Each structure stands twice: as C-alpha cells, then as structure tokens.
Amino acid sequence: MHWLELQGLGLTEGATRILADIDLKLGAGRTALLGPNGAGKSTLLRLMHGLLRPSTGTVSWPNPLSQAMVFQRPVMLRATVLANIEYGLSLRGVPAGARRRKADEALARVGLPELVHRQARKLSGGEQQRVALARAWALEPEVLFLDEPTASLDPASSREVERIIGEIAAGGTKIVMTTHNLGQAHRIAEEVIYLEGGRLMEQTPVEEFFRQPSTSAARLFIQDELGS
Amino acid sequence: MSEIAQSLALAGELVAAGDAKLAEIVWLSLKVSLSATALSCVLGMPLGALLAVGRFPGRHSLIVLFNGLMGLPPVVVGLLVYLLLSRAGPLGQFGLLFTPAAMIIAQTVLITPIIAALTRQVIEDEWREYREQLRSLGASRMRAGRTLLWNARFSLTTAGLAGFGRAVAEVGAVMIVGGNIDGVTRVMTTTIALETSKGDLPLALALGAILVAVVLVINTGAFILRQWAERRWG
Ligand SMILES: Nc1ncnc2c1ncn2[C@@H]1O[C@H](COP(=O)(O)OP(=O)(O)OP(=O)(O)O)[C@@H](O)[C@H]1O
Ligand SMILES: [Mg+2]
C-alpha cells in the first residue's frame, strides 16, 4: 500500500522546467532519491513536503501523515540547542511541561546530551546537523524528509548520522532522503528513485537498482559515481 | 577667534559645574527622544516584520511609502502634528500642544517610518534564511514574524538607534509643537538654535558638545553590544 502519490507532477519557474510528468507512488519505509546535480531531487522533496506548490499535477496523501524535514544546511535560531528543539515542539502544540523531557530524549538519541545549553549556531556543521535531526525526531513525525543529510560531514559524523537515521526508521518513521553517497543509499534505503533532468527515470528496489538498473541513464550514473 | 575660545572655555565650565539649567535641558531631550524611540520601536518593529513576511494586497505600496517617509522633513511633521493638536484640531481637546507629550508624538511620527523600514530590511533577510525551516516546523507567518523579530534582536538595535539619532538631533518638529518654552519644552536642539541666534555661544556650544557625545556614546554602546552578541550567539 502506498502512503503518498504524485500524479503528473511538474514545476516550472519562469521559462525553466524544473520537474515534469512525475508519476510516483511511495510505499516503502525508506526511499532514496538519487540523480546528478540539478536533477530536481531537492525540489521534489520540497514539493512532497508542501514547501512548494506544483505548477501541474497533484501530491496526495491517502491518510494525512505528520511530517518533518531536515535541510541540507541546518538552520538554527539564535538560541540554545534546547530552545531550538523546544521551539519546534511548541509549534506542534506540545504542552510546555513535556517539551523539556522530549528535547532531552531527542538529544540523547543523537548522542549529544551535553550540548543542551550550548548556542546552536556556534556548533560545528556536524553537530548542527545532528541537532537538526534531534529537532525533527522530537516531533515524532510519521514521515521524515532528509536532503543530503551527510553532505558536508566527515566519515565519522556521516556514520553517526546514518545510525541515527536507521534508528528513526526503526521507530516506524518513513524516510525519504537524497544523497550523493551510493554506499549510503545502499545501506539505508529499500527503494531507489532515480531522477535526471527533472524527470523520473526509474523506481526500483535497492538491490536490483545497484545490480541491474533498468535504465541506461541510471547505469551510467552508477558507473560515474563509482568510478570517481 | 578669541571670542570662540572664550565661549569654549565657558562651555567647558558649564559642563564641569553640572549647571542645573543645562542638566534640565539635556534630561528633557533624552526623556523626549528616548520615549519617542521606545514608542516607535513598539509600533514600527512589528509593522516592519509584517511588511517583511506578510502577504496582503498593498504590501508593495506600503513598503514604498515607508521608504519614502524615512526622509520626511521634521518641520513638515511638526506642522502636521501642530494641526492635529491645536485647539481647533481633531485632538485639540487634550491640550497637548506646547507640552513634552506633543514633542514625543511628533518625534514618534517622524521616526516610526525609519524604524519600520529598517526592520523590514533586517527581517526580510532573516526570512530568506529561515523561511523554509520555519514553515517546515509549522509556523504561521505571524508566528514566524514574531520569532524572527526576537531572532534578529541585536541587528534591530541598529534600527532603534537610527531612530533615536534622528529624533535627538532634529529641531524642526519639537520647535513647532513644543514652542521652546523655557523650563517646559526646551531641548538641546531648540536651545542651541535660540542661544546661537541670541549670541549666547557658551550654552549653545556646551549643548552641542553634549549632543555629539550622547550620540557617540549610544552608537559605541550599540556597536559593543552587537559584537558581543555576534560572539555569543553566532
Ligand atoms: N527557484 C528556482 N528558480 C529557478 N530555477 C530553480 C529554482 N530552484 C531550483 N531551480 C533549478 O532546478 C534544478 C533542480 O534543482 P534542485 O536543487 O532540485 O536539484 P538537485 O537534484 O537537488 O541538485 P543537487 O544534487 O545539486 O542538490 C536546478 O537546475 C536548479 O538550478
Ligand atoms: Mg539538492
């Protein structure tokens, strides 16, 4: 059973077609969006999350699910880590008494309980990314969108973030993420969606995608990425 | 030449002695301009945030209007507020003309557009950076505007200061609605204008020096505050 359906989805900005004719049903628990730079991966995530309105087509949720998104570059308020996490909770109507406990739990789960009173914008990129994950996780979303969650992180931080994503997924949250790290897609995802030039090329189970992609575009992409 | 030197020496003595009349004038100046600045921040900052994050018909016209009003000549503001407050005017019944309250009103009218326009610029930059994140978390535009005002609190001190600087240094508006009455509505700028025309240079010079010092001290304080905030909050 799918939980999200895109029909004839397209987005045009001025004269540029960013996405066109996307027909897609998402049913997997962990999906990776792959494709070269400028393929439209981030744009597609934003459309799914409702941050952008499509020029054509529809995004439909058979059952409305609560969502959260972690952006490629974490955006933190000028406040402590705790205040940043509590802010998201207050927007979702979590009563004041419960926010602190949920924030502490989320920070503990990303392995940064000691940062609770630090100023969020003074943390390193990797720490901020994990705080952003904690902020999203604290909201207990049913779907979590992740845009290149490990793009600028060192290998150790990347592994840590992968572990966190694995745990979030294990808790039943559906994950949709973009990444340029094919190993990461292989480790995390059940299903791969491959985009190129704003078009959906294929939607394939992960093992099959890496063993034998059904389009030559995807095959070339995998060769290029592995070769470089 | 020696007359100027003499005046300067006398001015120094006035300041050093803590002359009562001088102190009264400085105190009234600060009271009026700080009150006007506080009122303008309360009015202009939410308005600026609304202009930055809001979406309503006429928003662009309002932005252009407020940018234009930043350059409003103080004498024109004075004249308008005079008409409002004069006995025959719509607010005449309150008898505010030629009181410090009238001066506060005039300066508030003068600097609210400045503070609103500068706030809009600051919050618009913040909105560009935070928009998607705040919407993703579920913030309404109103809530986002409030959040960003607080988030930008240190950058916004610049807007408040620009307003205060303009208020404390203007002479046209307070002269018209205050009337420059000795001991009642006489502030630094109006006194300088009057004493200079009367030829009493020491008092004018002393007040001029204090005015410059006030502006310098406040700007330095704000600079230090921003540096500190930048280091602390990033
Ligand atoms: N607001 C916009 N106006 C015009 N063009 C845009 C806009 N947003 C994105 N684009 C263009 O749409 C295309 C897809 O952008 P998008 O950010 O979705 O790509 P991506 O697949 O995420 O790439 P990357 O791997 O580099 O992150 C790009 O060519 C980009 O320049
Ligand atoms: Mg992208």
Side-chain angles (χ1 to χ4, degrees):
Chain A
M1 257 314 287
H2 67 276
W3 46 269
L4 176 63
E5 181 170 11
L6 312 179
Q7 281 177 306
L9 198 69
L11 185 76
T12 345
E13 207 50 79
T16 17
R17 272 246 206 109
I18 300 174
L19 287 171
D21 307 324
I22 309 276
D23 287 297
L24 189 62
K25 284 181 183 169
L26 286 185
R30 303 182 308 276
T31 307
L33 277 180
L34 302 181
N37 291 130
K41 305 180 294 295
S42 300
T43 307
L44 187 57
L45 278 189
R46 285 177 166 79
L47 281 165
M48 290 176 176
H49 189 37
L51 290 175
L52 291 175
R53 260 202 297 178
S55 316
T56 60
T58 55
V59 175
S60 46
W61 299 82
N63 300 304
L65 299 177
S66 67
Q67 311 166 31
M69 179 158 172
V70 173
F71 296 86
Q72 181 174 340
R73 241 173 19 90
V75 191
M76 294 288 148
L77 294 168
R78 284 181 198 89
T80 61
V81 166
L82 178 65
N84 266 279
I85 298 177
E86 286 187 334
Y87 179 73
L89 290 166
S90 80
L91 288 177
R92 300 281 169 115
V94 174
R99 287 177 211 154
R100 175 68 202 257
R101 183 179 49 75
K102 282 177 183 279
D104 279 337
E105 276 171 18
L107 272 178
R109 284 182 298 198
V110 301
L112 299 174
E114 73 281 4
L115 295 188
V116 63
H117 294 299
R118 294 272 295 278
Q119 290 301 324
R121 285 170 68 100
K122 310 238 19 183
L123 301 177
S124 77
E127 288 166 339
Q128 287 196 39
Q129 190 62 287
R130 281 153 75 184
V131 170
L133 280 165
R135 177 167 63 186
W137 200 356
L139 304 176
E140 296 164 14
E142 291 165 295
V143 180
L144 178 60
F145 296 103
L146 300 160
D147 197 0
E148 300 192 35
T150 61
S152 53
L153 306 187
D154 65 25
S157 303
S158 293
R159 272 198 306 279
E160 179 61 13
V161 165
E162 277 184 32
R163 174 194 69 77
I164 295 165
I165 294 169
E167 264 190 57
I168 297 176
T173 298
K174 297 171 184 11
I175 304 284
V176 184
M177 66 184 286
T178 70
T179 178
H180 282 285
N181 180 335
L182 295 189
Q184 181 173 77
H186 202 163
R187 284 188 292 278
I188 294 179
E190 298 167 299
E191 185 173 82
V192 171
I193 287 168
Y194 183 73
L195 289 180
E196 205 176 296
R199 291 181 178 273
L200 174 68
M201 308 305 280
E202 62 177 287
Q203 178 180 19
T204 317
V206 69
E207 290 301 337
E208 193 181 325
F209 180 83
F210 285 109
R211 203 168 10 108
Q212 197 172 44
S214 54
T215 56
S216 58
R219 196 172 318 127
L220 285 172
F221 173 75
I222 295 171
Q223 274 171 14
D224 275 1
E225 293 279 318
L226 293 181
S228 63
Chain B
M1 197 62 219
S2 72
E3 192 194 348
I4 291 178
Q6 218 176 359
S7 301
L8 273 173
L10 276 169
E13 276 170 35
L14 277 176
V15 176
D19 181 73
K21 190 167 160 198
L22 184 77
E24 187 189 303
I25 293 169
V26 171
W27 174 234
L28 182 66
S29 258
L30 293 179
K31 217 164 61 177
V32 165
S33 295
L34 286 173
S35 305
T37 305
L39 270 173
S40 298
C41 286
V42 169
L43 295 169
M45 287 186 176
L47 190 63
L50 191 69
L51 289 175
V53 308
R55 268 208 311 208
F56 47 89
R59 178 175 156 257
H60 285 281
S61 322
L62 274 178
I63 290 175
V64 172
L65 179 70
F66 272 90
N67 283 341
L69 290 179
M70 280 175 85
L72 218 52
V75 281
V76 173
V77 172
L79 182 58
L80 286 175
V81 174
Y82 181 93
L83 292 175
L84 279 177
L85 299 183
S86 66
R87 191 141 326 143
L91 303 176
Q93 71 207 52
F94 301 110
L96 292 176
L97 203 58
F98 306 132
T99 66
M103 298 155 78
I104 293 173
I105 293 171
Q107 291 194 339
T108 302
V109 172
L110 182 72
I111 66 175
T112 296
I114 298 176
I115 291 178
L118 294 177
T119 299
R120 180 191 62 80
Q121 286 170 12
V122 170
I123 300 298
E124 232 168 49
D125 290 345
E126 292 268 308
W127 186 229
R128 211 163 292 129
E129 184 180 350
Y130 285 94
R131 175 188 187 131
E132 291 201 318
Q133 182 66 65
L134 293 183
R135 285 190 51 199
S136 170
L137 290 173
S140 63
R141 277 173 192 272
M142 286 298 254
R143 181 66 190 263
R146 267 201 294 153
T147 300
L148 293 181
L149 276 175
W150 178 248
N151 201 52
R153 57 200 178 279
F154 296 104
S155 312
L156 289 177
T157 53
T158 312
L161 274 178
F164 175 77
R166 174 119 162 119
V168 79
E170 71 87 20
V171 54
V174 280
M175 183 74 100
I176 294 177
V177 304
N180 199 27
I181 304 166
D182 197 5
V184 183
T185 58
R186 198 162 278 185
V187 291
M188 288 194 267
T189 53
T190 57
T191 313
I192 292 172
L194 180 76
E195 299 301 325
T196 305
S197 68
K198 283 196 333 202
D200 179 0
L201 287 182
L203 184 57
L205 276 171
L207 284 168
I210 291 173
L211 189 54
V212 170
V214 163
V215 171
L216 276 179
V217 163
I218 295 220
N219 277 294
T220 309
F223 180 77
I224 292 169
L225 175 74
R226 282 198 63 176
Q227 296 271 310
W228 171 80
E230 191 76 16
R231 268 201 313 277
R232 178 160 157 69
W233 276 277

